[in-house]
Amino acid sequence: SRREPTEVTPVWSMRQAGRYMPAYRKLRQRHSILDLCHQPDLAAAVTLQPVERLGVDAAILFADILLPFEPLRLGLSFAAGEGPKIARPIENATDVERLPSFNLQAELGYVFDAVRLARRSLPADVPLIGFAGAPFTLASYAIEGGASRTFTKTKRFMYQSPDTWHLLLSKLADLVGRYLAEQGRAGAQALQLFDSWVGCLSPHDYHTYVQPHSTRALQLAAGAGVPLIHFGTGTATFLEDFAAAGGDVISVDWRIPLDAAWSRIGPKAIQGNLEPAALLAPAAERNRQVRDILKRAGGRPGHIFNLGHGILPETDVAAVRAVVDLVHDT
Ligand code: CP3
């Protein structure tokens, strides 16, 4: 992220801990996902699993972007196999105005404890990445009440009540900016802002309704003094604005070639961008895609190899390990 030369291309993977991994599934038999997040010793243990199994160059804290919804009293739960559910979604201006402000240490202190524990347990040369959801992606879950394919409620809210929309996003930006900075102070050595679903917006709407709030979140996070990774998917149509919003590293998905993306983000590091489904392909096709990304990076300092989005639950652990080894050996 500081674009310093390295001997091998560093590699880690989003969702490198999770259901595709037998050690994770074993723990999940006895603990819910929220249990794993709430108990720092368990969260730290899960954080370490992929480092041991995959040989990746970084660990990402085991947590979830939706955890701040608990102190916001939106009623967060994870239904088996269905993804997140929000019991009290945000519907109007009153809901936004009445969002409680809360003490980060008191309400989310278990996350900072997990950061400290994981940092202590990790090998010294494996950095720990903390993270938070970006204002837009969090707002989309808060408004939709769960996952969505079309983001209809979110967009209707944005267009019908722009002032309330901006109030909601500025509240979320303030919250996640401070939350990230606190993870940095607890020992996270890089911080990633996840704007997973922002690619559903037009370039104009990204610029108008989202970019200022992502900028604000990243400015607050910068207070921790560690590198910031700005992740999104579907950002190719507004990549200049996405990069300008902030972050030392811009994480791009597979819908744009890595070199084309790099030439558009300016003097920043880049993360990505293997198609997650390539891990389901035969080895020859998988390796072709990995080598193509490395060729496009051309050995320039500042490339962090990663997927363009998270590992799919159907993925074979051995395939992920093979990608890590191929990146290191190329
Ligand atoms: O290894 C890692 O990447 C760290 C752990 C991590 C989780 N969630 C654990 C988790 C991270 C970084 C996240 C971030 C997250 N959570 C995002 C942004 C990243 C992305 O994929 O775009 C989002 C959108 C969420 C919200 C969320 N949490 C969803 C949509 C789901 C359901 C996913 C599914 O496939 O069911 C979760 C649950 C969740 N969070 C799981 C994990 C490992 C799987 C649930 C389980 O164990 O049953």
Side-chain angles (χ1 to χ4, degrees):
S1 61
R2 299 191 174 93
R3 286 182 292 135
E4 289 161 2
T6 50
E7 268 165 44
V8 296
T9 302
V11 50
W12 67 280
S13 185
M14 287 177 274
R15 287 287 169 94
Q16 64 188 16
R19 281 168 302 185
Y20 80 105
M21 198 170 272
Y24 176 83
R25 287 201 300 273
K26 198 162 161 242
L27 261 182
R28 278 283 277 113
Q29 288 174 354
R30 284 183 291 126
H31 305 278
S32 69
I33 164 118
L34 283 174
D35 264 2
L36 294 181
C37 295
H38 289 158
Q39 297 183 44
D41 55 330
L42 295 178
V46 178
T47 301
L48 262 67
Q49 285 176 353
V51 176
E52 287 151 8
R53 180 65 182 85
L54 304 174
V56 284
D57 298 301
I60 180 160
L61 182 72
F62 190 80
D64 196 87
I65 62 163
L66 302 180
L67 294 176
F69 284 6
E70 295 187 295
L72 289 176
R73 297 190 207 118
L74 298 178
L76 172 67
S77 62
F78 290 95
E82 279 181 61
K85 285 274 170 292
I86 312 313
R88 292 177 292 280
I90 291 177
E91 290 173 348
N92 53 47
T94 313
D95 293 343
V96 175
E97 283 152 15
R98 290 197 184 151
L99 278 174
S101 47
F102 59 86
N103 181 288
L104 276 176
Q105 292 294 339
E107 302 289 343
L108 294 169
Y110 64 86
V111 175
F112 313 131
D113 289 341
V115 168
R116 279 184 282 267
L117 258 183
R119 183 54 272 161
R120 256 190 279 143
S121 318
L122 280 165
D125 60 350
V126 177
L128 176 64
I129 302 168
F131 69 91
F136 175 80
T137 291
L138 287 182
S140 79
Y141 281 104
I143 294 170
E144 302 287 338
S148 172
R149 272 184 345 141
T150 56
F151 301 94
T152 311
K153 289 179 184 163
T154 306
K155 292 178 183 181
R156 185 173 57 201
F157 196 114
M158 186 174 91
Y159 292 135
Q160 296 245 345
S161 319
D163 293 347
T164 309
W165 170 266
H166 284 295
L167 178 64
L168 172 60
L169 265 75
S170 50
K171 285 187 172 203
L172 292 171
D174 193 66
L175 165 57
V176 298
R178 292 184 300 114
Y179 175 51
L180 284 169
E182 220 38 55
Q183 292 180 49
R185 286 182 201 109
Q189 290 137 302
L191 299 165
Q192 178 158 324
L193 188 72
F194 279 95
D195 217 347
S196 306
W197 310 127
V198 75
C200 73
L201 295 175
S202 72
H204 168 273
D205 289 352
Y206 179 75
H207 187 84
T208 306
Y209 295 103
V210 176
Q211 192 183 342
H213 305 290
S214 295
T215 298
R216 169 82 179 143
L218 288 163
Q219 274 169 354
L220 287 169
V226 301
L228 305 177
I229 308 169
H230 190 185
F231 163 82
T233 71
T235 56
T237 59
F238 50 82
L239 197 52
E240 290 80 2
D241 273 352
F242 185 78
D248 306 288
V249 184
I250 302 302
S251 193
V252 293
D253 76 7
W254 60 95
R255 295 172 180 92
I256 178 170
L258 188 93
D259 47 347
W262 211 342
S263 69
R264 287 171 56 196
I265 64 176
K268 288 176 182 268
I270 194 163
Q271 175 170 277
N273 67 342
L274 186 66
E275 150 79 90
L279 292 166
L280 311 176
E285 172 58 17
R286 184 182 74 218
N287 293 344
R288 184 195 67 73
Q289 294 197 29
V290 171
R291 290 195 180 100
D292 180 66
I293 291 166
L294 292 170
K295 195 173 115 238
R296 290 174 191 279
R300 284 174 282 176
H303 176 222
I304 301 165
F305 194 99
N306 204 316
L307 307 188
H309 203 169
I311 293 180
L312 300 164
E314 296 83 357
T315 303
D316 186 347
V317 179
V320 188
R321 174 89 221 189
V323 168
V324 171
D325 291 343
L326 179 57
V327 172
H328 283 159
D329 294 343
T330 303

